[in-house]
């Protein structure tokens, strides 16, 4: 089965607040879907509904073809879920906690021991096995939560902010872990770290105000940025006026931004409607013999797209970008 | 099927003994049950080799101590957010509710079993009717299950253990005193006798005292069993309703 996670018209109303408004999505095996959105956009609520914890006000969700409301046990057997904030039983040690999770997942004896050991190795928590979970650092707690989600080698993983609270090395490790599993599973991760989307996701969905406002590969989304194909030129401060005047003569230039540092200025040359200006610009630089300190071509900024899309959606316009 | 319930029970029970709470509870339970029996119940002055003086105070002892056990059952899960973890594991809600209740019940049973020195004492001092004592122990255990089932349901209503404790004590108090002579006397004369009988029949004391006197009536046992089933069913509904709040 290709489509492992299916959400159809998921809607969740909390009293007067419409937290999730008609979200539909599918995730296939081999996909890592990044779920992006500002805080309060409805990311966690959507994940809770897909994981079968919250009952949707309208719509439905299924895991590997099993509806999470009608056939919850079969759906949950195939799902590894890291809830928001990675809640854990604080008074237990990681091995005791994992043993409990393994029992509820039906593992016994040698198989159970092997699964627990594998999950511990995968998430690198060997050093804290003797400590109660409440005494662990945030990063270790998060990894115990991940170990719990991976224990039964599920076909579907839903991870709500899996790298929150980890240091850069641990983030890297967790991303490598996700990438290593990606081929055989359908994975959804929520995050507000945009570099993470570039690093692990094959597809990104941006939600704002409970609605999907963008859906595409990270490159496609970044391509919507007005910085797509922009070129940054760094020049000495006393050269700025000359270079700026020269650049503005080009037809394909749509805009110019200047960012000054202590003794240099970076001019960001933004092309009209995604046209490529790198060639024209380098010709111009050579023709005038400008002393350029640095030059960088831009593939577009995901954070820029994110900001534009989510603030537009909050303002009520541009809902279907 | 039963494995899941057992897994939840074991985790929960281990949780009791992971902190000093369990030991504090057991010591206080033993001290109070002894103190009630010997000082207030006049165990020695009665000059009878039985444990009536010991058992008669159990409803009041449970009224105070059982809510202290039951208050954390669901309130703590909701407060810590672990309820989301628990309920996204492949287990039925009923299995989770039953598993947690059983852990609390087993724990109370351990505390109750540790009162065995009283039994040894009366057997040393005289020739008690051990059948009645056994029945009283079973009755006391069933009654503690009744209190725990009420506490389980009320614990699911809130995220605060303190609120759970206070509300549980209140509701348990109503279930305890509804058959007491004070309430019956207060209602007598202006409430139809049939209604009084119904109210009294809801009391833990009415049913428990029958058992302690050595009158084993299936209806008294069925009362506690039905009470436990009803409140645990209510727990399932409440947890399902309130889990996401």
């Amino acid at each position: 089965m290709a489509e492992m996670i299916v959400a159809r018209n998921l809607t969740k109303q909390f009293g007067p607040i419409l937290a999730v408004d008609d979200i539909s999505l599918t995730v296939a095996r081999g996909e890592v879907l990044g779920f992006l959105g500002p805080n309060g956009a409805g990311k966690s609520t959507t994940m809770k509904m897909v994981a079968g914890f919250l009952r949707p006000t309208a719509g439905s969700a299924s895991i590997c073809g099993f509806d999470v409301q009608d056939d919850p046990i079969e759906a949950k057997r195939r799902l590894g879920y890291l809830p928001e904030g990675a809640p854990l039983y604080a008074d237990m040690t990681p091995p005791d906690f994992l043993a409990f999770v393994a029992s509820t997942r039906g593992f016994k004896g040698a198989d159970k021991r092997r699964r627990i050991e594998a999950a511990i190795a995968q998430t690198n928590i060997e050093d804290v096995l003797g400590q109660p979970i409440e005494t662990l650092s945030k990063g270790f707690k998060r990894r115990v939560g991940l170990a719990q989600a991976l224990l039964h080698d599920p076909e579907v993983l839903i991870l709500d902010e899996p790298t929150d609270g980890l240091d850069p090395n641990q983030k890297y490790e967790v991303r490598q872990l996700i990438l290593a599993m990606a081929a055989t599973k359908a994975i959804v991760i929520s995050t507000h770290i945009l570099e993470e989307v570039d690093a692990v996701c094959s597809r990104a969905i941006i939600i704002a105000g409970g609605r999907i406002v963008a859906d595409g590969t990270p490159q496609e989304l970044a391509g919507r940025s007005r910085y797509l194909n922009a070129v940054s030129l760094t020049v000495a401060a006393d050269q700025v006026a000359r270079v700026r005047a020269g650049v503005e003569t080009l037809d394909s230039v749509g805009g110019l931004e200047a960012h000054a540092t202590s003794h240099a200025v970076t001019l960001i040359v933004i092309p009209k409607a995604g046209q490529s200006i790198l060639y024209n610009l380098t010709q111009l630089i050579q023709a005038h013999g400008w002393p350029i300190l640095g030059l960088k071509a831009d593939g577009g900024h995901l954070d820029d797209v994110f900001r534009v899309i989510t603030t537009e959606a909050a303002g009520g316009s541009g809902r279907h970008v | 099927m039963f494995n899941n319930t057992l897994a939840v029970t074991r985790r929960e029970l281990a949780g009791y003994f992971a902190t000093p709470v369990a030991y504090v509870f057991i010591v206080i339970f033993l001290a109070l049950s002894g103190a009630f029996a010997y000082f207030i119940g006049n165990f020695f002055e009665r000059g009878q080799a039985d444990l009536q003086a010991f058992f008669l105070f159990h409803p009041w002892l449970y009224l105070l101590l059982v809510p202290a056990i039951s208050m954390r059952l669901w309130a703590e899960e909701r407060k810590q957010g672990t309820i989301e973890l628990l309920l996204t594991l492949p287990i039925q809600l009923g299995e989770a509710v039953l598993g947690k209740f059983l852990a609390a019940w087993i724990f109370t049973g351990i505390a109750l079993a540790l009162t065995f020195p009283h039994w040894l004492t009366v057997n040393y001092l005289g020739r008690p009717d051990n059948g009645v004592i056994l029945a009283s122990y079973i009755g006391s255990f069933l009654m503690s299950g009744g209190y725990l089932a009420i506490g389980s349901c009320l614990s699911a209503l809130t995220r605060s253990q303190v609120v759970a404790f206070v509300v549980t004590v209140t509701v348990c108090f109503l279930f305890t005193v509804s058959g007491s002579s004070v309430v019956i006397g207060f209602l007598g004369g202006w409430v139809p006798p049939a209604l009084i009988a119904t109210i009294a029949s809801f009391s833990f004391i009415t049913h428990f005292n029958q058992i302690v006197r050595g009158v084993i009536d299936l209806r008294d046992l069925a009362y506690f069993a039905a009470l436990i089933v009803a409140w645990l069913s209510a727990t399932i509904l409440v947890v399902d309703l309130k889990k996401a709040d």
Side-chain angles (χ1 to χ4, degrees):
Chain A
M1 186 188 315
E3 277 163 4
M4 317 268 281
I5 305 173
V6 179
R8 285 180 220 89
N9 311 103
L10 279 179
T11 300
K12 184 70 190 179
Q13 184 113 30
F14 292 112
I17 300 159
L18 189 59
V20 173
D21 184 7
D22 197 28
I23 282 189
S24 298
L25 57 89
T26 59
V27 186
R29 190 192 298 271
E31 264 191 307
V32 180
L33 174 68
F35 219 45
L36 301 170
N39 290 329
K43 298 190 296 282
S44 291
T45 306
T46 305
M47 290 174 126
K48 283 178 213 278
M49 287 193 282
V50 176
F53 178 65
L54 277 186
R55 184 171 293 126
T57 310
S60 64
S62 65
I63 305 281
C64 300
F66 295 99
D67 188 283
V68 296
Q69 291 299 329
D70 300 341
D71 212 346
I73 301 297
E74 288 305 316
K76 287 168 185 175
R77 278 204 180 115
R78 288 158 179 83
L79 167 70
Y81 178 50
L82 176 70
E84 180 184 17
L88 302 163
Y89 289 111
D91 52 13
M92 303 178 98
T93 61
D96 286 348
F97 172 66
L98 293 176
F100 162 65
V101 173
S103 311
T104 66
R105 296 218 174 262
F107 297 118
K108 290 192 180 71
D111 187 30
K112 181 172 162 179
R113 266 198 309 283
R114 192 177 57 74
R115 297 256 177 193
I116 293 170
E117 280 165 15
I120 288 170
Q122 270 182 308
T123 50
N124 284 325
I125 53 172
E126 290 92 341
D127 295 340
V128 296
L129 296 185
Q131 298 177 32
I133 288 169
E134 61 195 341
T135 67
L136 300 182
S137 69
K138 204 177 172 195
F140 272 118
K141 282 182 186 160
R142 187 74 37 156
R143 284 188 279 165
V144 173
L146 266 175
Q148 162 276 127
L150 300 176
L151 185 93
H152 54 301
D153 193 20
E155 292 180 88
V156 172
L157 272 175
I158 296 181
L159 310 173
D160 202 342
E161 302 197 342
T163 61
D164 188 39
L166 303 187
D167 67 34
N169 293 335
Q170 296 166 341
K171 278 185 182 151
Y172 175 79
E173 282 168 22
V174 168
R175 286 172 195 163
Q176 292 306 110
L177 183 62
I178 292 172
L179 284 173
M181 296 183 301
T184 55
K185 301 185 195 304
I187 304 178
V188 178
I189 65 167
S190 79
T191 179
H192 42 238
I193 308 167
L194 294 161
E195 54 170 295
E196 194 150 287
V197 178
D198 268 332
V200 295
C201 298
S202 59
R203 192 175 135 213
I205 281 181
I206 300 179
I207 76 171
R211 286 171 161 269
I212 294 180
V213 290
D215 182 351
T217 66
Q219 293 74 27
E220 280 166 12
L221 292 185
R224 297 186 189 185
S225 166
R226 62 202 186 92
Y227 293 109
L228 178 67
N229 295 335
V231 177
S232 306
L233 295 175
T234 307
V235 294
D238 56 346
Q239 301 288 330
V240 175
R242 187 153 73 100
V243 174
R244 183 186 271 257
V247 168
E248 277 169 351
T249 62
L250 283 177
D251 285 341
S252 48
V253 171
L256 257 178
E257 285 175 16
H259 300 279
T261 59
S262 52
H263 27 255
V265 175
T266 300
L267 288 173
I268 301 175
V269 187
I270 301 165
K272 281 181 185 155
Q275 294 179 26
S276 179
I277 52 165
L278 185 60
Y279 178 75
N280 292 345
L281 211 53
T282 48
Q283 294 288 19
L284 198 66
I285 292 165
Q286 280 189 345
H288 290 84
W290 290 333
I292 299 296
L293 304 173
L295 183 145
K296 194 166 126 257
D298 212 317
H301 295 178
L302 200 51
D303 56 351
D304 172 53
V305 176
F306 178 84
R307 202 169 46 242
V308 170
I309 288 178
T310 54
T311 47
E312 266 179 13
S317 61
R319 274 210 155 143
H320 299 285
V321 177
Chain B
M1 208 52 182
F2 194 66
N3 280 338
N4 289 337
T5 308
L6 208 64
V8 173
T9 303
R10 274 168 51 188
R11 197 213 74 72
E12 196 75 17
L13 208 51
Y16 286 119
F17 290 99
T19 60
V21 174
Y23 304 100
V24 169
F25 177 87
I26 288 176
V27 167
I28 290 181
F29 179 80
L30 295 180
L32 281 183
S33 65
F36 276 140
Y38 293 104
F39 297 115
I40 305 174
N42 298 323
F43 175 77
F44 292 113
E45 288 80 353
R46 293 175 74 236
Q48 289 180 25
D50 64 29
L51 284 178
Q52 274 214 31
F54 167 68
F55 282 112
L56 282 178
F57 289 99
H58 276 200
W60 304 100
L61 202 57
Y62 287 145
L63 176 59
L64 209 67
L65 292 179
V66 163
I69 301 178
S70 65
M71 65 181 186
R72 63 186 288 279
L73 280 175
W74 291 99
E76 180 76 355
E77 294 268 355
R78 286 183 53 194
K79 187 172 171 122
Q80 301 297 333
T82 45
I83 189 166
E84 188 171 351
L85 187 82
L86 183 65
L87 298 185
T88 49
L89 290 170
I91 60 179
Q92 308 273 6
L93 182 51
E95 294 172 330
V97 167
L98 183 62
K100 279 171 155 289
F101 166 77
L102 284 179
W105 207 15
I106 290 169
F107 177 70
T108 318
I110 292 171
L112 185 62
L114 288 174
T115 61
F116 72 92
H118 298 301
W119 173 71
L120 292 180
T121 307
V122 287
N123 272 279
Y124 174 74
L125 292 173
R127 294 186 173 279
D129 185 339
N130 281 321
V132 172
I133 292 178
L134 180 67
S136 301
Y137 265 113
I138 292 171
S140 177
F141 183 58
L142 275 172
M143 182 170 63
S144 72
Y147 282 113
L148 280 170
I150 293 175
S152 164
C153 180
L154 299 176
S155 165
L157 276 173
T158 169
R159 297 161 69 95
S160 157
Q161 295 195 32
V162 177
V163 172
F165 178 83
V166 173
V167 175
T168 305
V169 169
T170 309
V171 173
C172 287
F173 180 73
L174 295 177
F175 268 87
T176 308
V177 297
S178 63
S180 73
S181 49
V182 180
V183 174
I184 302 297
F186 173 70
L187 296 175
W190 57 281
V191 173
L195 188 59
I196 294 183
T198 310
I199 292 170
S201 75
F202 270 108
S203 170
F204 281 26
I205 290 183
T206 311
H207 295 277
F208 181 60
N209 285 357
Q210 292 292 318
I211 298 172
V212 173
R213 287 196 195 97
V215 187
I216 310 283
D217 189 330
L218 211 57
R219 278 175 298 181
D220 295 320
L221 303 181
Y223 163 76
F224 286 117
L227 192 89
I228 291 171
V229 170
W231 280 95
L232 288 185
S233 307
T235 307
I236 295 176
L237 290 178
V238 172
V239 171
D240 196 38
L241 210 65
K242 303 282 284 183
K243 63 186 177 183
D245 287 5

